[in-house]
mmCIF file of all heavy atoms in Angstrom:
data_model
loop_
_atom_site.group_PDB
_atom_site.id
_atom_site.type_symbol
_atom_site.label_atom_id
_atom_site.label_comp_id
_atom_site.label_asym_id
_atom_site.label_seq_id
_atom_site.Cartn_x
_atom_site.Cartn_y
_atom_site.Cartn_z
ATOM 1 N N LEU A 135 8.867 -2.919 9.147
ATOM 2 C CA LEU A 135 9.461 -2.021 8.169
ATOM 3 C C LEU A 135 10.517 -1.155 8.825
ATOM 4 O O LEU A 135 11.565 -0.852 8.297
ATOM 5 C CB LEU A 135 8.339 -1.122 7.529
ATOM 6 C CG LEU A 135 8.871 -0.112 6.516
ATOM 7 C CD1 LEU A 135 9.500 -0.767 5.383
ATOM 8 C CD2 LEU A 135 7.692 0.766 6.032
ATOM 9 N N ASP A 136 10.213 -0.626 10.013
ATOM 10 C CA ASP A 136 11.195 0.136 10.779
ATOM 11 C C ASP A 136 12.481 -0.631 11.044
ATOM 12 O O ASP A 136 13.611 -0.079 10.878
ATOM 13 C CB ASP A 136 10.601 0.642 12.078
ATOM 14 C CG ASP A 136 11.318 1.798 12.738
ATOM 15 O OD1 ASP A 136 11.882 2.603 11.977
ATOM 16 O OD2 ASP A 136 11.318 1.840 13.948
ATOM 17 N N ALA A 137 12.353 -1.886 11.411
ATOM 18 C CA ALA A 137 13.498 -2.770 11.637
ATOM 19 C C ALA A 137 14.283 -2.975 10.351
ATOM 20 O O ALA A 137 15.517 -2.888 10.343
ATOM 21 C CB ALA A 137 13.080 -4.105 12.240
ATOM 22 N N ALA A 138 13.591 -3.073 9.195
ATOM 23 C CA ALA A 138 14.284 -3.305 7.927
ATOM 24 C C ALA A 138 15.036 -2.012 7.545
ATOM 25 O O ALA A 138 16.182 -1.959 7.127
ATOM 26 C CB ALA A 138 13.275 -3.633 6.870
ATOM 27 N N LEU A 139 14.332 -0.813 7.773
ATOM 28 C CA LEU A 139 15.001 0.379 7.454
ATOM 29 C C LEU A 139 16.237 0.746 8.334
ATOM 30 O O LEU A 139 17.136 1.402 7.857
ATOM 31 C CB LEU A 139 13.989 1.636 7.597
ATOM 32 C CG LEU A 139 12.862 1.598 6.538
ATOM 33 C CD1 LEU A 139 11.849 2.691 6.870
ATOM 34 C CD2 LEU A 139 13.404 1.789 5.159
ATOM 35 N N ASP A 140 16.156 0.274 9.605
ATOM 36 C CA ASP A 140 17.375 0.449 10.494
ATOM 37 C C ASP A 140 18.631 -0.256 9.988
ATOM 38 O O ASP A 140 19.708 0.121 10.316
ATOM 39 C CB ASP A 140 17.038 -0.051 11.924
ATOM 40 C CG ASP A 140 16.073 0.960 12.690
ATOM 41 O OD1 ASP A 140 16.014 2.098 12.247
ATOM 42 O OD2 ASP A 140 15.506 0.570 13.666
ATOM 43 N N GLN A 141 18.470 -1.256 9.125
ATOM 44 C CA GLN A 141 19.593 -1.992 8.660
ATOM 45 C C GLN A 141 20.282 -1.340 7.430
ATOM 46 O O GLN A 141 21.358 -1.712 7.083
ATOM 47 C CB GLN A 141 19.230 -3.413 8.233
ATOM 48 C CG GLN A 141 18.759 -4.200 9.425
ATOM 49 C CD GLN A 141 18.445 -5.660 8.955
ATOM 50 O OE1 GLN A 141 18.161 -5.944 7.811
ATOM 51 N NE2 GLN A 141 18.407 -6.582 9.923
ATOM 52 N N LEU A 142 19.583 -0.305 6.853
ATOM 53 C CA LEU A 142 20.098 0.357 5.676
ATOM 54 C C LEU A 142 21.169 1.400 6.126
ATOM 55 O O LEU A 142 21.071 2.055 7.159
ATOM 56 C CB LEU A 142 18.980 1.051 4.974
ATOM 57 C CG LEU A 142 18.003 0.105 4.304
ATOM 58 C CD1 LEU A 142 16.760 0.923 3.763
ATOM 59 C CD2 LEU A 142 18.645 -0.562 3.086
ATOM 60 N N PRO A 143 22.061 1.686 5.211
ATOM 61 C CA PRO A 143 22.973 2.845 5.406
ATOM 62 C C PRO A 143 22.186 4.160 5.531
ATOM 63 O O PRO A 143 21.097 4.246 4.892
ATOM 64 C CB PRO A 143 23.875 2.772 4.182
ATOM 65 C CG PRO A 143 23.800 1.449 3.642
ATOM 66 C CD PRO A 143 22.417 0.934 3.987
ATOM 67 N N ALA A 144 22.730 5.124 6.146
ATOM 68 C CA ALA A 144 21.973 6.390 6.385
ATOM 69 C C ALA A 144 21.470 6.998 5.117
ATOM 70 O O ALA A 144 20.317 7.416 5.104
ATOM 71 C CB ALA A 144 22.848 7.371 7.226
ATOM 72 N N ASN A 145 22.343 7.196 4.127
ATOM 73 C CA ASN A 145 21.890 7.868 2.892
ATOM 74 C C ASN A 145 20.845 7.084 2.159
ATOM 75 O O ASN A 145 19.890 7.722 1.603
ATOM 76 C CB ASN A 145 23.136 8.102 2.017
ATOM 77 C CG ASN A 145 23.944 9.369 2.270
ATOM 78 O OD1 ASN A 145 23.519 10.094 3.230
ATOM 79 N ND2 ASN A 145 24.989 9.570 1.594
ATOM 80 N N VAL A 146 20.909 5.802 2.206
ATOM 81 C CA VAL A 146 19.968 4.967 1.480
ATOM 82 C C VAL A 146 18.628 5.163 2.147
ATOM 83 O O VAL A 146 17.533 5.379 1.509
ATOM 84 C CB VAL A 146 20.364 3.511 1.467
ATOM 85 C CG1 VAL A 146 19.301 2.612 0.840
ATOM 86 C CG2 VAL A 146 21.644 3.341 0.674
ATOM 87 N N ARG A 147 18.578 5.002 3.487
ATOM 88 C CA ARG A 147 17.317 5.207 4.265
ATOM 89 C C ARG A 147 16.744 6.616 4.028
ATOM 90 O O ARG A 147 15.563 6.750 3.798
ATOM 91 C CB ARG A 147 17.640 4.963 5.729
ATOM 92 C CG ARG A 147 16.408 5.068 6.639
ATOM 93 C CD ARG A 147 16.625 4.703 8.023
ATOM 94 N NE ARG A 147 17.758 5.458 8.657
ATOM 95 C CZ ARG A 147 18.982 4.968 8.912
ATOM 96 N NH1 ARG A 147 19.204 3.691 8.751
ATOM 97 N NH2 ARG A 147 19.885 5.678 9.498
ATOM 98 N N GLN A 148 17.602 7.641 4.142
ATOM 99 C CA GLN A 148 17.115 9.001 4.056
ATOM 100 C C GLN A 148 16.554 9.343 2.586
ATOM 101 O O GLN A 148 15.476 9.908 2.468
ATOM 102 C CB GLN A 148 18.285 9.992 4.303
ATOM 103 C CG GLN A 148 18.646 10.105 5.722
ATOM 104 C CD GLN A 148 17.461 10.654 6.596
ATOM 105 O OE1 GLN A 148 16.498 11.125 6.102
ATOM 106 N NE2 GLN A 148 17.631 10.460 7.920
ATOM 107 N N ALA A 149 17.208 8.710 1.564
ATOM 108 C CA ALA A 149 16.660 8.917 0.214
ATOM 109 C C ALA A 149 15.284 8.300 0.038
ATOM 110 O O ALA A 149 14.393 8.949 -0.480
ATOM 111 C CB ALA A 149 17.615 8.285 -0.773
ATOM 112 N N LEU A 150 15.111 7.100 0.580
ATOM 113 C CA LEU A 150 13.812 6.450 0.534
ATOM 114 C C LEU A 150 12.807 7.262 1.247
ATOM 115 O O LEU A 150 11.617 7.539 0.719
ATOM 116 C CB LEU A 150 13.868 5.031 1.040
ATOM 117 C CG LEU A 150 12.576 4.292 1.040
ATOM 118 C CD1 LEU A 150 12.145 4.093 -0.352
ATOM 119 C CD2 LEU A 150 12.645 2.931 1.765
ATOM 120 N N LEU A 151 13.091 7.637 2.465
ATOM 121 C CA LEU A 151 12.072 8.356 3.289
ATOM 122 C C LEU A 151 11.723 9.716 2.672
ATOM 123 O O LEU A 151 10.572 10.155 2.656
ATOM 124 C CB LEU A 151 12.653 8.524 4.678
ATOM 125 C CG LEU A 151 12.730 7.198 5.511
ATOM 126 C CD1 LEU A 151 13.349 7.463 6.840
ATOM 127 C CD2 LEU A 151 11.386 6.510 5.639
ATOM 128 N N MET A 152 12.753 10.439 2.183
ATOM 129 C CA MET A 152 12.507 11.687 1.587
ATOM 130 C C MET A 152 11.663 11.602 0.301
ATOM 131 O O MET A 152 10.838 12.413 0.054
ATOM 132 C CB MET A 152 13.813 12.463 1.236
ATOM 133 C CG MET A 152 14.484 13.036 2.410
ATOM 134 S SD MET A 152 15.910 14.076 1.803
ATOM 135 C CE MET A 152 17.286 13.085 2.297
ATOM 136 N N ASN A 153 11.912 10.494 -0.419
ATOM 137 C CA ASN A 153 11.068 10.329 -1.667
ATOM 138 C C ASN A 153 9.681 9.845 -1.348
ATOM 139 O O ASN A 153 8.693 10.403 -1.857
ATOM 140 C CB ASN A 153 11.808 9.270 -2.542
ATOM 141 C CG ASN A 153 11.032 9.046 -3.830
ATOM 142 O OD1 ASN A 153 10.406 8.057 -3.955
ATOM 143 N ND2 ASN A 153 11.177 9.989 -4.775
ATOM 144 N N ARG A 154 9.514 8.837 -0.519
ATOM 145 C CA ARG A 154 8.219 8.228 -0.264
ATOM 146 C C ARG A 154 7.371 9.028 0.713
ATOM 147 O O ARG A 154 6.179 9.080 0.558
ATOM 148 C CB ARG A 154 8.371 6.773 0.191
ATOM 149 C CG ARG A 154 9.007 5.870 -0.785
ATOM 150 C CD ARG A 154 8.181 5.703 -2.025
ATOM 151 N NE ARG A 154 8.652 4.621 -2.771
ATOM 152 C CZ ARG A 154 8.916 4.693 -4.088
ATOM 153 N NH1 ARG A 154 8.663 5.786 -4.811
ATOM 154 N NH2 ARG A 154 9.380 3.555 -4.719
ATOM 155 N N LEU A 155 7.943 9.565 1.812
ATOM 156 C CA LEU A 155 7.147 10.253 2.797
ATOM 157 C C LEU A 155 7.064 11.705 2.476
ATOM 158 O O LEU A 155 5.992 12.390 2.634
ATOM 159 C CB LEU A 155 7.754 10.007 4.224
ATOM 160 C CG LEU A 155 7.785 8.527 4.647
ATOM 161 C CD1 LEU A 155 8.399 8.446 6.075
ATOM 162 C CD2 LEU A 155 6.357 7.970 4.684
ATOM 163 N N ASP A 156 8.140 12.300 2.199
ATOM 164 C CA ASP A 156 8.119 13.766 1.932
ATOM 165 C C ASP A 156 7.797 14.167 0.529
ATOM 166 O O ASP A 156 7.582 15.348 0.252
ATOM 167 C CB ASP A 156 9.544 14.390 2.261
ATOM 168 C CG ASP A 156 9.922 14.139 3.757
ATOM 169 O OD1 ASP A 156 8.929 13.978 4.560
ATOM 170 O OD2 ASP A 156 11.072 14.080 4.073
ATOM 171 N N GLY A 157 7.868 13.198 -0.355
ATOM 172 C CA GLY A 157 7.491 13.520 -1.765
ATOM 173 C C GLY A 157 8.504 14.281 -2.585
ATOM 174 O O GLY A 157 8.120 14.948 -3.520
ATOM 175 N N LEU A 158 9.752 14.230 -2.103
ATOM 176 C CA LEU A 158 10.755 15.002 -2.790
ATOM 177 C C LEU A 158 11.249 14.336 -4.131
ATOM 178 O O LEU A 158 11.202 13.094 -4.215
ATOM 179 C CB LEU A 158 12.021 15.210 -1.883
ATOM 180 C CG LEU A 158 11.739 15.966 -0.575
ATOM 181 C CD1 LEU A 158 13.065 16.020 0.164
ATOM 182 C CD2 LEU A 158 11.212 17.417 -0.855
ATOM 183 N N THR A 159 11.588 15.097 -5.075
ATOM 184 C CA THR A 159 12.071 14.562 -6.341
ATOM 185 C C THR A 159 13.600 14.031 -6.112
ATOM 186 O O THR A 159 14.225 14.460 -5.133
ATOM 187 C CB THR A 159 12.122 15.635 -7.448
ATOM 188 O OG1 THR A 159 13.016 16.662 -7.075
ATOM 189 C CG2 THR A 159 10.679 16.203 -7.663
ATOM 190 N N HIS A 160 14.068 13.402 -7.138
ATOM 191 C CA HIS A 160 15.424 12.886 -7.066
ATOM 192 C C HIS A 160 16.397 14.063 -7.038
ATOM 193 O O HIS A 160 17.428 14.009 -6.317
ATOM 194 C CB HIS A 160 15.737 12.027 -8.250
ATOM 195 C CG HIS A 160 15.113 10.636 -8.174
ATOM 196 N ND1 HIS A 160 15.594 9.561 -8.801
ATOM 197 C CD2 HIS A 160 13.986 10.197 -7.533
ATOM 198 C CE1 HIS A 160 14.841 8.499 -8.538
ATOM 199 N NE2 HIS A 160 13.856 8.914 -7.799
ATOM 200 N N ALA A 161 16.069 15.162 -7.746
ATOM 201 C CA ALA A 161 16.947 16.324 -7.791
ATOM 202 C C ALA A 161 17.014 16.939 -6.402
ATOM 203 O O ALA A 161 18.095 17.365 -5.895
ATOM 204 C CB ALA A 161 16.511 17.326 -8.856
ATOM 205 N N GLN A 162 15.865 17.089 -5.691
ATOM 206 C CA GLN A 162 15.873 17.707 -4.411
ATOM 207 C C GLN A 162 16.607 16.853 -3.399
ATOM 208 O O GLN A 162 17.390 17.350 -2.579
ATOM 209 C CB GLN A 162 14.373 17.891 -3.963
ATOM 210 C CG GLN A 162 13.644 18.922 -4.801
ATOM 211 C CD GLN A 162 12.135 18.860 -4.533
ATOM 212 O OE1 GLN A 162 11.551 17.781 -4.331
ATOM 213 N NE2 GLN A 162 11.505 20.080 -4.564
#
Side-chain angles (χ1 to χ4, degrees):
L135 179 61
D136 197 31
L139 291 174
D140 282 343
Q141 293 183 342
L142 291 170
N145 276 358
V146 175
R147 180 177 53 252
Q148 287 298 347
L150 178 68
L151 294 175
M152 283 190 254
N153 181 257
R154 298 296 194 227
L155 297 180
D156 300 334
L158 299 180
T159 65
H160 287 206
Q162 292 168 325

